[in-house]
């Protein structure tokens, strides 16, 4: 359904677009959505949506018609289409010149290295000989199209290389980083260059999927927190990112930071900001792409913990909701309106508080009840 005037076109109807709408309501921003299907997560809450294909220029043009600014729920829109939209007078934020570095890990590594941003040792590989020259152990990644650990292989030796090489895709090899934990630094940047940076968080993964986020990262040395924020600012400025930029980082066992990857949209590691920060990543993303003044990114409480709800044995999340809200009243639940499938991100919960152990326990408890119907010990 399209009709009324819109301020912002959003491409892609996942949970990120859904949570942008939550922020858009308060700001009075009218979003028009290009959705993958009539009932996808964001289409359920954005009345002005049209079903279409983000790789079709015609569909993109139809959504962007009369809308001044275009932004994204994901980074998969072909850059040549974005250049066409820009030539036709729409502001794409982030623009294709920036988005390239979130779409292509090879281009990202090359550019960040030129900027002097610390990255794992890396090289492009296309054969066993290249891999042997690079050395083992190695982490091999498809340069494009990977997500949630798909398209990433951990290789001990040449004997493990077959599957990655058989993809026939462009591949990037990286040293296997010996890291203590994974961190993320999020920044929102306006076209003018104004920026705000949220507190640096720790993200904990299971099977390549982000499971928990602790904000701020516990016991992070102030020197590393400053460095992570500075890396995020440098990347946002140098690549001319508009909107939210998420920089995923490794904290190495010997106390260094290395950039893992970039996302140029609200990010899972920033979901805690809805309940735990003065301005959420979704609100500041909208403000940034619409060139409005940004809100402060300070935390509201000492600790915020976000735990993802991954599809598990609970099929009917809505009916489990009453159980969770009764058992753990002091948490916030965010459901995405998605059908439950094993391992799929179907929602998240956030707990805030002054004591980290207590905050973590409450968030995990609620997420367990929504995933498994029982609490893990
Ligand atoms: P995706 O695009 O699927 O999120 P990533 O490049 O972030 O892929 O890799 C997924 C996970 O694999 C990371 O979160 C991290 O845990 C691990 N990983 C990625 N690169 C390396 C590396 N060079 N060394 C060690 N672990 C890595």
């Amino acid at each position: 359904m399209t009709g009324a005037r819109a301020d912002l076109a959003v491409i892609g109807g996942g949970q990120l677009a859904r949570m942008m709408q939550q922020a858009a309501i308060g700001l009075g921003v009218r979003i028009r959505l290009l959705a993958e299907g009539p009932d996808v997560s964001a289409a359920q809450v954005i009345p002005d949506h049209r079903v279409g294909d983000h790789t079709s220029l015609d569909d993109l043009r139809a959504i962007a018609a009369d809308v001044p600014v275009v932004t994204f729920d994901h980074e998969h829109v072909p850059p040549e289409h974005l250049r066409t939209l820009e030539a036709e007078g729409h502001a794409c934020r982030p623009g294709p010149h920036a988005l390239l570095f979130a779409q292509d890990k090879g281009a990202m590594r090359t550019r960040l290295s030129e900027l002097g941003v610390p990255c794992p040792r890396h090289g492009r590989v296309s054969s066993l000989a290249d891999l042997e020259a690079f050395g083992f152990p190695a982490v091999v990644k498809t340069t494009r199209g990977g997500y949630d650990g798909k398209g990433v292989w951990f290789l001990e030796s040449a004997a493990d290389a077959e599957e990655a090489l058989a993809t026939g895709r462009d591949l990037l090899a990286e040293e296997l980083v010996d890291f203590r934990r994974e961190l993320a630094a999020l920044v929102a940047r306006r076209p003018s260059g104004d920026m705000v940076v949220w507190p640096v968080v720790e993200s904990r993964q299971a099977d390549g999927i982000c499971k928990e986020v602790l904000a701020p990262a516990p016991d992070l040395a102030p020197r590393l927190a400053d460095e992570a924020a500075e890396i995020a600012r440098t990347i946002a400025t140098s690549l001319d990112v508009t909107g939210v930029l998420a920089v995923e980082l490794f904290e190495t066992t010997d106390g260094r930071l290395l950039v893992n990857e970039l996302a140029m949209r609200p990010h899972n590691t920033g979901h805690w900001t809805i309940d735990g920060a003065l301005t959420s990543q979704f609100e500041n993303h909208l403000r940034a792409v619409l060139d409005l003044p940004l809100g402060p990114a300070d935390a509201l409480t000492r600790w915020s913990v976000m735990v993802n709800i991954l599809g598990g044995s609970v099929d009917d999340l809505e009916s489990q909701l009453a159980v969770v809200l009764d058992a753990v009243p002091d948490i916030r639940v965010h459901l995405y309106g998605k059908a439950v499938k094993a391992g799929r991100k179907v929602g998240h919960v956030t707990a805030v508080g002054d004591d980290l152990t207590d905050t973590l326990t409450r968030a995990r408890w609620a997420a367990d009840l929504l995933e498994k119907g029982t609490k893990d010990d």
Side-chain angles (χ1 to χ4, degrees):
M1 179 178 93
T2 54
R5 210 160 62 78
D7 307 299
L8 179 65
V10 176
I11 311 302
Q15 65 265 27
L16 302 179
R18 181 182 174 103
M19 291 185 273
M20 284 183 209
Q21 174 71 347
Q22 197 174 7
I25 291 168
L27 295 173
V29 167
R30 291 160 301 185
I31 290 180
R32 180 173 301 156
L33 179 75
L34 180 64
E36 295 78 358
D39 198 33
V40 294
S41 183
Q44 296 166 22
V45 300
I46 300 177
D48 188 2
H49 65 262
R50 178 181 291 200
V51 174
D53 176 357
H54 62 262
T55 65
S56 154
L57 182 58
D58 287 345
D59 289 356
L60 293 167
R61 276 184 167 138
I63 283 295
D66 302 323
V67 187
V69 180
V70 180
T71 195
F72 313 96
D73 167 89
H74 58 69
E75 40 259 326
H76 306 311
V77 181
E80 62 275 18
H81 292 349
L82 298 182
R83 282 192 285 273
T84 303
L85 291 182
E86 286 195 327
E88 292 172 359
H90 307 280
C92 293
R93 293 180 177 151
H97 58 285
L99 213 46
L100 167 69
F101 302 104
Q103 293 172 325
D104 184 319
K105 290 176 182 173
M108 178 267 289
R109 285 277 175 257
T110 304
R111 185 78 185 103
L112 294 192
S113 301
E114 284 167 10
L115 293 170
V117 170
C119 290
R121 186 174 69 83
H122 58 275
R124 288 177 192 261
V125 290
S126 57
S127 65
L128 202 52
D130 291 346
L131 266 171
E132 271 163 350
F134 184 83
F136 293 98
V139 181
V140 171
K141 307 177 174 185
T142 54
T143 54
R144 286 173 173 264
Y147 66 98
D148 285 348
K150 296 182 179 61
V152 178
W153 293 267
F154 293 83
L155 310 185
E156 293 286 336
S157 69
D160 304 330
E162 200 178 330
E163 188 182 323
L165 291 173
T167 59
R169 311 265 298 275
D170 284 343
L171 298 173
L172 179 75
E174 295 178 358
E175 69 177 291
L176 177 68
V177 176
D178 185 11
F179 61 83
R180 199 181 145 225
R181 57 179 168 176
E182 295 185 60
L183 304 172
L186 264 69
V187 55
R189 180 174 180 271
R190 288 176 73 179
S192 60
D194 281 355
M195 283 183 273
V196 296
V197 187
W198 283 271
V200 176
V201 302
E202 173 174 342
S203 99
R204 296 181 175 173
Q205 327 276 321
D207 300 327
I209 299 183
C210 173
K211 180 63 188 158
E212 298 177 344
V213 171
L214 279 56
D219 303 321
L220 182 64
R223 167 185 70 83
L224 291 182
D226 291 347
E227 191 187 326
E230 194 49 37
I231 286 172
R233 278 194 213 94
T234 300
I235 295 173
T237 305
S238 308
L239 304 187
D240 185 30
V241 180
T242 37
V244 168
L245 165 73
V247 182
E248 295 185 54
L249 298 147
F250 298 118
E251 181 184 353
T252 65
T253 46
D254 59 358
R256 292 172 301 133
L257 295 179
L258 298 173
V259 171
N260 178 24
E261 66 168 343
L262 308 180
M264 294 180 195
R265 50 171 169 76
H267 191 251
N268 201 168
T269 57
H271 290 356
W272 68 275
T273 59
I274 300 174
D275 302 305
L278 268 169
T279 315
S280 82
Q281 62 162 349
F282 297 99
E283 173 153 351
N284 264 345
H285 184 74
L286 297 186
R287 294 198 200 189
V289 300
L290 294 170
D291 203 13
L292 295 167
L294 301 174
D298 311 61
L300 287 167
T301 55
R302 175 111 195 265
W303 298 107
S304 296
V305 173
M306 189 272 342
V307 180
N308 277 333
I309 304 165
L310 305 178
S313 51
V314 172
D315 282 333
D316 185 354
L317 291 171
E318 286 71 22
S319 64
Q320 186 67 4
L321 189 60
V323 175
V324 175
L325 298 180
D326 186 46
V328 204
D330 43 358
I331 44 100
R332 302 292 311 281
V333 176
H334 301 261
L335 298 179
Y336 304 156
K338 291 172 145 186
V340 173
K341 285 190 200 153
R344 185 187 206 192
K345 291 175 187 168
V346 291
H348 72 267
V349 298
T350 309
V352 299
D354 291 331
D355 180 81
L356 179 57
T357 307
D358 168 71
T359 307
L360 192 55
T361 304
R362 280 187 284 121
R364 284 181 179 164
W365 182 8
D368 280 344
L369 286 175
L370 283 160
E371 277 181 12
K372 299 187 268 272
T374 56
K375 177 178 176 304
D376 263 359
D377 292 326

